Amino acid sequence: MTMLDDRTTAATWPAAYPQGYAVVDVETTGLARDDRIVSAAVYRLDAQGNVEDHWYTLVNPERDPGPVWIHGLTSDVLEGAPLFPEIAAEFAARLDGRVLVAHNAMFDWQMIAREYARAERTAPVRQRLCTIALAKELSLPLPNHKLATLAAHFGVVQQRAHNALDDARVLAEAFRPSLHAAAERNVRLPLLECRPLTEWAGAPAQPRIGHQGSYAAPSSSAYRMNSWRPSRKRPACPYPNPGRYETDRPLKQGMRVAFSGDTSVDRELLEDRTVEAGLHVATSVSRLTSLLVTNDPDAPTSKTLKAKSFGTPVVDEAAYTQLLRDVAPADG
């Protein structure tokens, strides 16, 4: 493990690095769009990764708590916890002006952004850093990219896996040497933009907290293997694929549209509008994909990399929402 002497660090620290970080972990009722946060923890770090303070809260999700066998938070435990709008200001104060750091940061950010959208507020976060991406940038010799593996590499002991406070502590302790290693080698940090949700569509009513029957076992057939996200089957697009999108021409019904990364309109709401316009939502990019929509075309995701290799047209969310207003009918 590489650790820099703090006196050396102060003199040679990359000027372009952020001035502060908020290491975050949230535990949730599941992985889907309509799932909720049940606990959250934040470790605030200074520019060089030193811990300033930490904060933890339970959150009443107002519904079934989900995979209790993982996070250990039952209906009884969460019943007296504050609702998210009641902790939103304190949470925001701890995120304000800092880079959000998390293990699989897109997931944590999306869950946080959705909670703020429901509360008709905006989280004060502009950038995020995923510790998985940082480990890859540093070429750390890890057999996999689980948090426990990263922690073990840096000699950090996990005490309560899937407890938000302990997971945030472990990540903060593993992030500091990662950050120092990056600074020593002047590695560009893999920072990505956080786009707050600007629109939220209410979901169908969920069972109120206190009713756990639908989550009786992790093998429930209502959920995909190794996740808790409900399967969502969309009707098949009734129109044939007319081919690729051409710049300065309208979209045409039947085109296959894929999405990658954050969107300012909730992703599933954007996908619903896509289907309503007569387009096909593609879950991956292939030679048949008509268009990739992403706000970060340079992100090294599988979809953006495949789009580049196939020559698939790429537009950002703003351009796509304009195109959705005037979709040409399918060929008769």
Side-chain angles (χ1 to χ4, degrees):
M1 177 175 67
T2 300
M3 289 292 288
L4 300 184
D5 183 277
D6 287 339
R7 291 169 297 180
T8 304
T9 299
T12 62
W13 201 259
Y17 277 22
Q19 294 303 301
Y21 304 88
V23 177
V24 173
D25 186 75
V26 297
E27 296 299 318
T28 67
T29 62
L31 305 179
R33 169 184 181 269
D34 298 318
D35 278 302
R36 307 295 301 272
I37 290 175
V38 294
S39 65
V42 181
Y43 268 73
R44 289 195 290 192
L45 312 182
D46 65 16
Q48 295 172 12
N50 301 304
V51 174
E52 295 177 333
D53 60 28
H54 64 268
W55 171 79
Y56 171 75
T57 186
L58 297 176
V59 183
N60 186 331
E62 302 183 271
R63 52 158 290 176
D64 188 297
V68 174
W69 58 90
I70 292 179
H71 55 58
L73 300 175
T74 64
S75 298
D76 289 343
V77 170
L78 296 171
E79 187 173 5
L83 304 179
F84 188 86
E86 296 171 337
I87 60 97
E90 178 69 14
F91 200 175
R94 294 180 176 276
L95 300 175
D96 194 17
R98 296 170 184 267
V99 170
L100 184 151
V101 177
H103 205 64
N104 188 11
M106 177 179 285
F107 171 75
D108 290 81
W109 165 244
Q110 288 181 339
M111 294 303 299
I112 292 167
R114 287 167 181 161
E115 288 288 8
Y116 275 96
R118 290 185 189 97
E120 299 183 346
R121 301 182 61 163
T122 301
V125 180
R126 296 295 171 262
Q127 289 181 307
R128 68 177 186 270
L129 188 158
C130 180
T131 47
I132 296 174
L134 181 57
K136 292 178 179 179
E137 286 284 340
L138 295 172
S139 300
L140 297 182
L142 306 175
N144 57 59
H145 290 94
K146 296 179 181 179
L147 177 58
T149 304
L150 181 66
H153 176 76
F154 289 114
V156 180
V157 178
Q158 272 192 304
Q159 297 173 351
R160 296 179 62 193
H162 299 295
N163 171 274
L165 182 59
D166 196 59
D167 280 354
R169 174 193 62 80
V170 167
L171 190 58
E173 292 183 16
F175 175 63
R176 184 176 187 275
S178 300
L179 180 64
H180 281 235
E184 185 178 35
R185 292 156 48 183
N186 202 27
V187 170
R188 173 186 168 274
L189 296 180
L191 300 175
L192 292 176
E193 181 182 5
C194 287
R195 289 178 172 261
L197 295 185
T198 57
E199 190 170 353
W200 181 259
Q206 296 285 350
R208 299 288 290 185
I209 189 165
H211 302 276
Q212 293 178 240
S214 63
Y215 286 88
S219 59
S220 170
S221 60
Y223 291 87
R224 297 173 184 166
M225 188 173 294
N226 298 325
S227 83
W228 318 288
R229 180 170 182 161
S231 298
R232 188 179 191 208
K233 293 184 179 180
R234 297 182 182 278
C237 182
Y239 308 109
N241 183 1
R244 289 184 172 178
Y245 165 72
E246 297 179 30
T247 304
D248 298 327
R249 300 192 66 179
L251 295 170
K252 183 176 288 188
Q253 288 180 328
M255 283 186 170
R256 299 175 65 90
V257 180
F259 298 88
S260 179
D262 294 345
T263 52
S264 59
V265 172
D266 183 73
R267 171 70 69 81
E268 292 195 13
L269 184 59
L270 195 57
E271 290 180 355
D272 287 344
R273 291 178 178 172
T274 298
V275 172
E276 289 166 2
L279 304 169
H280 174 90
V281 174
T283 57
S284 61
V285 173
S286 71
R287 297 184 187 278
L288 299 177
T289 305
S290 306
L291 180 68
L292 175 66
V293 180
T294 178
N295 290 316
D296 191 4
D298 296 322
T301 67
S302 61
K303 289 181 182 177
T304 55
L305 293 175
K306 286 182 179 179
K308 289 177 182 178
S309 68
F310 295 144
T312 305
V314 178
V315 301
D316 65 17
E317 179 187 359
Y320 181 67
T321 53
Q322 290 294 323
L323 290 169
L324 273 182
R325 295 180 179 181
D326 187 22
V327 177
D331 294 331

